[in-house]
Amino acid sequence: MQFLSGGFVILWVISFALYYLLPSKHQWMVLAVASGLFYVIGTGAFPFGILFTALSTYACGRALAQSLAAQKEALTHCADKEEKKAVKSAFEKRRKRMQILHFVCNLGILLGGKYTAVILPFLREEGLLTPAGDAFFSNIVMPLGVSFYTLTAIGYVVDVGREQCEAQRNLLKLFLYLAYFPAITQGPFHRYEKMRAEFAREHVFDYGRLASGVQRFVWGAFKKLVIADRLGIFVGNVFDGTRLQITGGIYGVAVVFYMLQLYADFSGYMDMALGVSETFDIVLPENFKRPYFSTSVAEFWRRWHITLGAWFKDYVMFSFIMSDTGRKLGKAAKKYWPEFGKHVTALAGTMLVWLFTGLWHGRTVSYLLWGIYYGVIMCLSLVLEPHYAVWKEKLHIREGKVWSFVCMARTWVIVFAADILIRTANLAQAGAVYLAIPGRPGIAATLGTLTDYGLSRYAFALLLFACALWLFVSLCEERGMDVRKRLSTLPLPLRWGCYYGVALLLIITGIYGGSYDTAAFLYQSF
């Protein structure tokens, strides 16, 4: 079930009505039932995957909590420090084994699903897969939202082990945390302690909050249907089309369009998810903060998919740095390279994070290279950052709007170069694109053939207007303005004119009809 479907709207409206009709102590139950229905209807199959993850996560969390309680009890009976150290070490080893077992089982389902999907096309082509088998692999082996709820479950287990949250005693409440329907398919990732408090507090109906949530949902749908899906037509016809002679200029336009498409699509989904959640008075974390205003790659990734970056930082990088391996590596590096050695653990952790990030996003060598590419850039930035001020002084570079724009443009080039890897069909096509863009730009030919890839002049004009509106809103937000709150203070005719204007633009100019799947989101494939 997708956000942009009649079934979802019906589920949303019914859940919303029941949510505020029932006493506050039962409101979480409405969300749990709605999440279960969303999942079952969306997959059309029994949710074995998420039920296994919920049960294993619940059992692991309770076992960790009991182990921590038993450790505290055992430490009170220890006679000296050595005995306490031995007792603590024994309990920590047991908990580590519990966590590893949980990680292996759940990551095994995730990785098994991802890499089984690689061989499905081959099995279909060879006629080795029956329709029933195809449906099984599509719905069971690669269940809806598995990448997101698996990492969410792992984060919960780690937090319980670190005593950063208490283990949940109610299995249904833990299921709600893992399967909360606005966030189950594409995030954002959320932390257990924060969401536990959100679900537990009293929620009272407020018309202003309802209107604000619906406005954000409509704005997200506008970015998805009017901008992202229209850009997708051009991008698909360039990269997936059959034309042999494509100028470097067309490839350049397609690469820029792809990044805008991905941003509009994913941030549009997030606007819809956060808007739906806002109507239930549940605050989800922001996942984007206008990344194309970034002046460095590091800043770009602090603004893009914020919650995924935070997850990898807390549960991969921090875990590695604090592990025995990380500490030994740091000590050895400092011993042999006193000046540079202090960076080695952080550099190794950064590369590890980006290797995992690449593997999480995709199953091909292209995604692995994409992760390595960003890992190398991040490591170089970490090592060279202390020298930036000296270099700028020697080159007489002054801070200001011009320099900020140069830095933004540099960041765009680095990001666009990376995303050629993940949008092209294979490394051979990626290499051809890299060679074509600077080698045969063909500016005149590019301008003359822009409308040959699925978008008419009218479509380009409409796209330009929609992107200009999107840019205007982003500039306002970048300067600290709460656009929705500002709209609510406008005179009634002007305010509703803005609302109806965006809604009509969405209805009239959104990409609909035919076999085109307007409900599909790009990030579901990651």
Side-chain angles (χ1 to χ4, degrees):
M1 184 186 294
Q2 297 283 1
F3 284 171
L4 298 172
S5 65
F8 176 79
V9 173
I10 292 171
L11 177 65
W12 181 13
V13 171
I14 293 174
S15 302
F16 177 84
L18 292 174
Y19 186 76
Y20 287 109
L21 286 173
L22 289 175
S24 60
K25 64 180 180 180
H26 299 310
Q27 287 177 327
W28 69 271
M29 296 181 185
V30 175
L31 297 179
V33 172
S35 298
L37 288 172
F38 175 85
Y39 200 90
V40 171
I41 296 171
T43 58
F46 191 76
F48 287 109
I50 195 167
L51 286 180
F52 174 81
T53 297
L55 287 168
S56 62
T57 303
Y58 175 79
C60 187
R62 298 290 297 133
L64 289 171
Q66 291 170 3
S67 174
L68 287 165
Q71 175 184 307
K72 290 176 182 177
E73 175 65 23
L75 289 174
T76 60
H77 301 291
C78 293
D80 53 40
K81 289 184 178 180
E82 289 300 319
E83 186 179 357
K84 285 184 177 181
K85 186 177 179 180
V87 167
K88 187 176 180 181
S89 176
F91 275 102
E92 285 177 348
K93 286 180 180 178
R94 284 182 218 164
R95 289 196 295 275
K96 187 175 289 186
R97 286 196 291 268
M98 294 177 199
Q99 290 176 319
I100 290 173
L101 178 62
H102 177 270
F103 299 162
V104 169
C105 290
N106 286 279
L107 286 174
I109 294 173
L110 170 61
L111 296 176
K114 275 183 175 288
Y115 290 97
T116 298
V118 174
I119 66 171
L120 285 183
F122 170 77
L123 296 177
R124 292 190 187 106
E125 287 178 7
E126 297 298 321
L128 301 175
L129 198 63
T130 65
D134 199 348
F136 172 81
F137 281 112
S138 298
N139 295 324
I140 304 297
V141 175
M142 194 60 182
L144 179 68
V146 61
S147 294
F148 289 87
Y149 69 67
T150 299
L151 295 194
T152 300
I154 289 173
Y156 165 79
V157 166
V158 173
D159 284 347
V160 171
R162 291 175 178 173
E163 296 186 85
Q164 293 180 347
C165 70
E166 293 184 5
Q168 176 56 255
R169 295 174 179 272
N170 187 314
L171 177 59
L172 190 57
K173 287 185 177 180
L174 184 63
F175 172 79
L176 171 59
Y177 167 66
L178 296 176
Y180 182 48
F181 71 97
I184 181 63
T185 56
Q186 297 182 59
F189 291 101
H190 38 262
R191 303 304 171 88
Y192 172 74
E193 195 59 29
K194 172 71 167 55
M195 294 304 293
R196 182 197 63 77
E198 284 292 317
F199 292 135
R201 66 183 175 85
E202 184 178 4
H203 305 282
V204 180
F205 173 76
D206 180 80
Y207 174 77
R209 184 172 57 245
L210 170 63
S212 180
V214 172
Q215 288 165 21
R216 185 158 192 178
F217 183 90
V218 171
W219 178 245
F222 170 81
K223 288 199 286 186
K224 162 66 177 169
L225 294 179
V226 179
I227 299 176
D229 287 353
R230 187 163 272 106
L231 289 167
I233 294 172
F234 185 93
V235 173
N237 283 327
V238 172
F239 287 112
D240 305 328
T242 57
R243 292 185 58 156
L244 298 177
Q245 293 298 323
I246 298 177
T247 66
I250 289 293
Y251 275 133
V253 172
V255 171
V256 174
F257 277 15
Y258 173 63
M259 273 312 303
L260 291 176
Q261 178 200 3
L262 187 58
Y263 179 35
D265 191 282
F266 193 21
S267 67
Y269 171 89
M270 286 300 155
D271 284 330
M272 285 185 270
L274 271 65
V276 170
S277 193
E278 187 176 349
T279 64
F280 293 105
D281 193 26
I282 302 293
V283 180
L284 289 174
E286 294 288 343
N287 216 22
F288 286 93
K289 192 179 179 182
R290 300 164 297 282
Y292 286 107
F293 290 110
S294 303
T295 56
S296 68
V297 176
E299 184 186 357
F300 178 89
W301 283 104
R302 287 194 296 269
R303 290 170 171 248
W304 179 288
H305 209 340
I306 298 167
T307 57
L308 177 66
W311 193 96
F312 275 112
K313 179 181 177 182
D314 290 348
Y315 300 119
V316 176
M317 188 167 185
F318 181 77
S319 295
F320 170 76
I321 290 173
M322 297 305 295
S323 68
D324 291 339
T325 302
R327 289 173 178 173
K328 289 177 182 177
L329 179 64
K331 288 181 180 179
K334 288 178 183 177
K335 179 179 178 181
Y336 292 104
W337 303 293
E339 290 298 321
F340 179 73
K342 59 184 179 182
H343 298 298
V344 168
T345 306
L347 294 175
T350 299
M351 284 302 303
L352 189 64
V353 163
W354 279 101
L355 283 173
F356 279 125
T357 302
L359 292 172
W360 181 84
H361 277 87
R363 302 173 286 267
T364 63
V365 175
S366 296
Y367 279 98
L368 180 62
L369 293 175
W370 178 87
I372 293 172
Y373 171 87
Y374 274 119
V376 170
I377 288 175
M378 293 294 191
C379 289
L380 286 174
S381 178
L382 181 65
V383 172
L384 298 177
E385 188 175 9
H387 305 286
Y388 288 161
V390 176
W391 292 344
K392 283 195 288 187
E393 185 177 349
K394 288 183 177 180
L395 295 172
H396 305 290
I397 295 172
R398 295 181 180 180
E399 297 288 347
K401 292 182 179 180
V402 174
W403 177 244
S404 294
F405 181 78
V406 169
C407 292
M408 280 192 282
R410 176 197 60 196
T411 303
W412 299 338
V413 171
I414 293 171
V415 172
F416 294 154
D419 286 300
I420 291 173
L421 278 172
I422 62 173
R423 183 56 186 87
T424 47
N426 48 53
L427 293 177
Q429 188 186 26
V433 173
Y434 284 127
L435 292 173
I437 291 176
R440 55 174 199 274
I443 297 175
T446 298
L447 294 175
T449 58
L450 276 175
T451 56
D452 293 347
Y453 297 90
L455 294 183
S456 64
R457 290 184 179 181
Y458 162 77
F460 268 106
L462 177 61
L463 187 59
L464 183 62
F465 172 77
C467 288
L469 177 60
W470 183 23
L471 176 61
F472 173 75
V473 172
S474 298
L475 285 169
C476 291
E477 290 175 338
E478 186 69 10
R479 293 171 180 172
M481 181 189 297
D482 187 327
V483 176
R484 285 180 293 159
K485 190 173 289 185
R486 182 65 179 270
L487 281 173
S488 67
T489 64
L490 294 176
L492 188 65
L494 185 57
R495 181 167 74 247
W496 281 97
C498 292
Y499 296 159
Y500 279 119
V502 173
L504 287 173
L505 193 61
L506 169 63
I507 293 169
I508 295 170
T509 66
I511 303 294
Y512 304 99
S515 60
Y516 193 78
D517 187 2
T518 58
F521 289 85
L522 290 176
Y523 236 76
Q524 288 181 165
S525 63
F526 294 144

